[in-house]
Amino acid sequence: MKKIGIAILMVATAFVVIGCQTQPKKQSEMIQPALTNQQLINLYSQSLEMRWSTPKGYTGTSEYEPNGTGIVEWGKGDHAGQWRISGNTVCTQWEGVREGREKCFRLVEVAPGKYNYYDVNGIYEGDGVVIH
Protein backbone atom coordinates (compact mmCIF):
# COMPACT_ATOMS: atom_id res chain seq x y z
CA MET A 1 0.00 0.00 0.00
CA LYS A 2 2.88 2.34 0.82
CA LYS A 3 4.36 1.74 -2.67
CA ILE A 4 1.04 2.64 -4.31
CA GLY A 5 0.85 5.86 -2.30
CA ILE A 6 4.40 6.80 -3.33
CA ALA A 7 3.62 6.02 -6.99
CA ILE A 8 0.50 8.20 -6.89
CA LEU A 9 2.47 11.00 -5.24
CA MET A 10 5.16 10.77 -7.95
CA VAL A 11 2.59 10.88 -10.76
CA ALA A 12 0.80 13.83 -9.13
CA THR A 13 4.11 15.65 -8.71
CA ALA A 14 4.95 15.04 -12.37
CA PHE A 15 1.62 16.57 -13.45
CA VAL A 16 2.20 19.62 -11.27
CA VAL A 17 5.74 20.11 -12.61
CA ILE A 18 4.63 19.69 -16.22
CA GLY A 19 1.70 22.07 -15.69
CA CYS A 20 3.93 24.74 -14.17
CA GLN A 21 6.61 24.71 -16.84
CA THR A 22 6.69 27.80 -18.99
CA GLN A 23 5.74 26.88 -22.52
CA PRO A 24 7.98 28.34 -25.24
CA LYS A 25 6.41 30.91 -27.51
CA LYS A 26 4.95 29.36 -30.62
CA GLN A 27 6.58 30.32 -33.88
CA SER A 28 3.14 31.62 -34.79
CA GLU A 29 3.40 34.44 -32.24
CA MET A 30 5.39 37.59 -32.93
CA ILE A 31 7.80 37.92 -30.00
CA GLN A 32 10.28 40.49 -31.33
CA PRO A 33 9.57 44.05 -32.44
CA ALA A 34 8.73 44.50 -36.10
CA LEU A 35 10.67 46.81 -38.40
CA THR A 36 9.64 50.44 -38.14
CA ASN A 37 8.31 52.50 -41.01
CA GLN A 38 11.74 54.04 -41.62
CA GLN A 39 13.47 50.63 -41.54
CA LEU A 40 10.98 49.34 -44.13
CA ILE A 41 11.55 52.40 -46.31
CA ASN A 42 15.30 51.81 -46.13
CA LEU A 43 14.93 48.11 -46.98
CA TYR A 44 12.61 48.63 -49.96
CA SER A 45 14.21 51.82 -51.33
CA GLN A 46 16.34 49.81 -53.79
CA SER A 47 15.56 46.83 -55.99
CA LEU A 48 15.10 43.90 -53.64
CA GLU A 49 14.76 40.17 -54.23
CA MET A 50 13.72 37.81 -51.45
CA ARG A 51 13.43 34.03 -51.28
CA TRP A 52 10.57 33.01 -48.98
CA SER A 53 8.69 30.04 -47.58
CA THR A 54 5.43 29.61 -45.68
CA PRO A 55 4.24 27.17 -43.02
CA LYS A 56 1.95 25.64 -45.66
CA GLY A 57 4.99 24.59 -47.69
CA TYR A 58 4.89 27.25 -50.40
CA THR A 59 8.25 28.62 -51.55
CA GLY A 60 9.27 31.20 -54.09
CA THR A 61 10.88 34.55 -54.70
CA SER A 62 9.53 38.07 -54.76
CA GLU A 63 11.14 40.97 -56.59
CA TYR A 64 10.33 44.49 -55.44
CA GLU A 65 11.14 47.65 -57.40
CA PRO A 66 11.39 51.05 -55.70
CA ASN A 67 8.45 52.32 -57.77
CA GLY A 68 6.04 49.95 -55.98
CA THR A 69 5.84 47.23 -58.64
CA GLY A 70 7.04 43.66 -58.38
CA ILE A 71 6.81 40.04 -59.38
CA VAL A 72 6.19 37.00 -57.22
CA GLU A 73 7.45 33.67 -58.59
CA TRP A 74 6.36 30.37 -57.09
CA GLY A 75 5.21 26.90 -58.00
CA LYS A 76 1.92 28.20 -59.39
CA GLY A 77 3.46 30.64 -61.86
CA ASP A 78 4.74 34.19 -61.94
CA HIS A 79 2.45 37.04 -61.00
CA ALA A 80 2.95 40.77 -61.42
CA GLY A 81 1.72 43.08 -58.75
CA GLN A 82 2.39 45.99 -56.51
CA TRP A 83 3.58 46.69 -53.01
CA ARG A 84 3.43 49.62 -50.62
CA ILE A 85 4.51 50.53 -47.13
CA SER A 86 1.69 51.39 -44.77
CA GLY A 87 2.86 52.42 -41.32
CA ASN A 88 5.00 49.56 -40.01
CA THR A 89 3.75 47.03 -42.57
CA VAL A 90 4.52 46.05 -46.14
CA CYS A 91 1.40 45.38 -48.19
CA THR A 92 1.47 43.25 -51.33
CA GLN A 93 -1.14 42.63 -53.98
CA TRP A 94 -0.38 40.11 -56.73
CA GLU A 95 -2.54 39.27 -59.75
CA GLY A 96 -3.78 35.70 -59.32
CA VAL A 97 -2.68 35.38 -55.67
CA ARG A 98 -5.19 35.63 -52.79
CA GLU A 99 -7.80 36.40 -55.46
CA GLY A 100 -5.99 39.70 -56.07
CA ARG A 101 -6.58 40.93 -52.50
CA GLU A 102 -3.95 43.00 -50.74
CA LYS A 103 -2.34 41.59 -47.60
CA CYS A 104 -0.11 43.47 -45.18
CA PHE A 105 2.78 42.01 -43.19
CA ARG A 106 5.05 43.01 -40.36
CA LEU A 107 8.69 42.00 -40.76
CA VAL A 108 10.94 40.95 -37.91
CA GLU A 109 14.66 40.73 -38.63
CA VAL A 110 15.92 37.49 -37.07
CA ALA A 111 19.43 37.65 -38.58
CA PRO A 112 21.13 40.02 -41.02
CA GLY A 113 19.07 39.84 -44.22
CA LYS A 114 16.67 37.23 -42.82
CA TYR A 115 13.11 38.11 -41.82
CA ASN A 116 10.04 36.47 -40.37
CA TYR A 117 6.71 37.70 -41.74
CA TYR A 118 3.65 38.17 -39.53
CA ASP A 119 0.15 39.29 -40.42
CA VAL A 120 -1.26 42.42 -38.81
CA ASN A 121 -2.52 40.31 -35.89
CA GLY A 122 0.97 38.98 -35.14
CA ILE A 123 0.41 35.50 -36.61
CA TYR A 124 3.46 33.93 -38.29
CA GLU A 125 3.08 33.79 -42.08
CA GLY A 126 6.56 32.70 -43.23
CA ASP A 127 10.14 33.75 -43.58
CA GLY A 128 12.30 35.38 -46.19
CA VAL A 129 15.94 36.01 -46.93
CA VAL A 130 17.36 38.77 -49.10
CA ILE A 131 19.12 37.27 -52.11
CA HIS A 132 19.74 40.52 -53.98
Side-chain angles (χ1 to χ4, degrees):
M1 185 73 169
K2 189 173 184 179
K3 287 183 181 180
I4 294 173
I6 291 172
I8 291 172
L9 180 61
M10 290 175 64
V11 170
T13 302
F15 281 122
V16 169
V17 169
I18 290 170
C20 291
Q21 288 180 344
T22 303
Q23 295 296 320
K25 291 270 186 183
K26 296 177 186 176
Q27 190 176 20
S28 63
E29 298 173 357
M30 188 169 65
I31 58 175
Q32 295 176 334
L35 295 183
T36 65
N37 178 266
Q38 188 59 55
Q39 289 171 314
L40 291 171
I41 290 169
N42 293 344
L43 180 63
Y44 286 84
S45 66
Q46 302 176 31
S47 294
L48 176 67
E49 185 174 1
M50 297 188 88
R51 182 179 15 251
W52 51 264
S53 63
T54 71
K56 293 181 180 180
Y58 297 117
T59 61
T61 60
S62 296
E63 298 176 27
Y64 303 92
E65 296 300 327
N67 67 1
T69 63
I71 296 175
V72 64
E73 302 169 342
W74 60 316
K76 297 190 178 193
D78 301 351
H79 300 278
Q82 53 195 12
W83 66 271
R84 67 185 179 92
I85 294 172
S86 175
N88 293 340
T89 65
V90 173
C91 304
T92 61
Q93 185 174 13
W94 309 107
E95 297 169 9
V97 178
R98 298 185 302 260
E99 299 177 350
R101 289 187 312 272
E102 180 182 74
K103 185 160 187 174
C104 298
F105 302 92
R106 293 187 174 125
L107 276 69
V108 174
E109 188 170 27
V110 294
K114 184 174 180 183
Y115 301 89
N116 285 345
Y117 291 85
Y118 297 86
D119 71 9
V120 295
N121 297 313
I123 303 299
Y124 177 74
E125 292 279 338
D127 58 73
V129 62
V130 174
I131 54 177
H132 174 15

